[in-house]
């Protein structure tokens, strides 16, 4: 825009008087907007910083960025829509449209077992069992850890099938699963984590109908399950058994 006047304040930020208002330029901010012209990375779904390297899971694939060479590059085998990239111990898992893979030495290794798109993965204690829970397009998957500390696919959970975008597990072992576009599930598993024994679907929060245009984000804040629709935050009322 047209700049009519400039002023630098004592915090070394620049104020610019424009035709249609005032802009503030923070010259010493630790944040920057990164949009490489040579790579159209698309919407970023998840970010992981591991071993001085930044990984981006996007709808165009998985990208790697190193501060040493300052270059953003694609990782072979991951040129598909990817939903999450997470580290558990020494393993990096990537969920994508074709299933779930391990990322090892910048190479893709497919996980045998999950047969559909992985959308989220969390480590949790469920029914006194330390497991990884993964959500996917059709179902939930359980991963267990061997004596060497490596995680591997164990089984698919029976009694539930739906499009889950992300999940969290609360202190009581309830699985809160955000649907792609129509609300949130509360799921309870049996003692062996083999099947769903309780299932509630919340299509409205308090007095607000969940909009299909605003998918619910399920997250955890200081140990408490929080739901966000892009405008407000909600939580579960244990006594009233409703989301408020």
């Amino acid at each position: 825009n047209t700049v009519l006047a400039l002023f630098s304040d004592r915090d070394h930020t620049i104020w610019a008087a424009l035709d249609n208002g005032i802009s503030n330029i923070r010259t010493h901010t630790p944040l920057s907007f990164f949009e490489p012209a040579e790579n159209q990375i698309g919407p970023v779904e998840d970010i992981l910083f591991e071993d001085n390297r930044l990984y981006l899971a996007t709808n165009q694939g998985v990208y790697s960025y190193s501060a040493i060479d300052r270059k953003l590059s694609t990782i072979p085998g991951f040129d598909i829509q990817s939903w999450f990239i997470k580290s558990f111990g020494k393993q990096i898992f990537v969920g994508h449209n074709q299933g779930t893979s391990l990322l090892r030495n910048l190479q893709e290794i497919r996980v045998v077992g999950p047969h559909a798109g992985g959308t989220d993965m969390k480590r949790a204690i469920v029914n006194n069992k330390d497991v990884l829970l993964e959500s996917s397009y059709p179902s939930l998957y359980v991963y267990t850890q061997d004596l060497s500390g490596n995680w591997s696919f164990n089984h698919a959970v029976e009694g539930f099938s739906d499009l889950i975008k992300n999940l969290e597990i609360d202190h009581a072992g309830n699985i809160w699963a955000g649907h792609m576009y129509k609300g949130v599930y509360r799921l309870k598993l049996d003692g062996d984590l083999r099947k769903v024994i309780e299932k509630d679907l919340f299509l409205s929060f308090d007095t607000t109908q969940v909009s299909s245009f605003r998918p619910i984000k399920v997250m955890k804040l200081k140990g408490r399950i929080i739901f966000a629709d892009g405008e407000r935050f909600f939580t579960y009322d244990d006594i009233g058994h409703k989301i408020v």
Side-chain angles (χ1 to χ4, degrees), residues 65-235:
Y65 177 80
S66 171
I68 298 175
D69 53 25
R70 301 182 67 84
K71 290 180 62 177
L72 190 71
S73 57
T74 59
I75 298 179
F78 287 106
D79 54 343
I80 49 180
Q81 178 160 348
S82 300
W83 292 104
F84 73 81
I85 179 165
K86 297 184 184 298
S87 173
F88 300 97
K90 298 179 181 179
Q91 295 169 289
I92 297 177
F93 287 90
V94 179
H96 48 75
N97 271 2
Q98 297 178 4
T100 307
S101 297
L102 286 167
L103 174 59
R104 186 180 301 160
N105 298 324
L106 296 180
Q107 297 292 323
E108 186 258 355
I109 302 172
R110 187 63 58 89
V111 174
V112 178
H115 57 276
T119 56
D120 195 12
M121 182 179 280
K122 295 288 165 56
R123 183 176 182 176
I125 303 296
V126 183
N127 297 344
N128 296 318
K129 293 178 174 63
D130 185 11
V131 296
L132 296 183
L133 283 177
E134 181 183 21
S135 59
S136 68
Y137 296 154
S139 57
L140 298 175
Y141 301 129
V142 174
Y143 292 69
T144 54
Q145 194 175 32
D146 61 22
L147 295 177
S148 63
N150 290 323
W151 295 93
S152 59
F153 173 82
N154 191 280
H155 64 271
V157 176
E158 300 176 2
F160 179 79
S161 178
D162 213 335
L163 291 167
I164 298 304
K165 177 68 181 294
N166 71 310
L167 54 81
E168 284 286 359
I169 300 90
D170 66 18
H171 64 282
N174 293 299
I175 301 170
W176 293 94
H179 194 274
M180 285 281 188
Y181 57 84
K182 68 172 186 180
V184 171
Y185 280 100
R186 184 189 70 86
L187 306 172
K188 192 81 172 178
L189 304 185
D190 67 351
D192 295 327
L193 312 186
R194 288 282 174 180
K195 61 182 179 180
V196 172
I197 56 175
E198 292 181 22
K199 179 173 64 176
D200 293 318
L201 174 59
F202 295 86
L203 294 175
S204 62
F205 289 4
D206 213 339
T207 59
T208 305
Q209 187 75 19
V210 176
S211 170
S212 60
F213 299 104
R214 286 186 182 276
I216 299 299
K217 173 68 175 178
V218 183
M219 66 191 80
K220 186 176 286 186
L221 180 63
K222 294 184 177 179
R224 190 178 183 90
I225 301 297
I226 301 294
F227 312 98
D229 65 355
E231 291 184 344
R232 287 154 296 185
F233 293 94
F234 302 84
T235 190

Side-chain angles (χ1 to χ4, degrees), residues 14-45:
I14 299 171
W15 295 88
L18 312 176
D19 267 342
N20 62 348
I22 299 174
S23 285
N24 179 239
I25 305 167
R26 297 176 178 87
T27 58
H28 290 77
T29 176
L31 306 176
S32 59
F33 186 73
F34 187 63
E35 188 177 21
E38 66 277 11
N39 290 314
Q40 299 300 314
I41 62 176
V44 177
E45 297 291 344

Side-chain angles (χ1 to χ4, degrees), residues 170-172 174 176 224 235-244:
D170 66 18
H171 64 282
N174 293 299
W176 293 94
R224 190 178 183 90
T235 190
Y236 181 62
D237 177 5
D238 300 82
I239 298 177
H241 300 291
K242 60 183 179 179
I243 296 176
V244 295

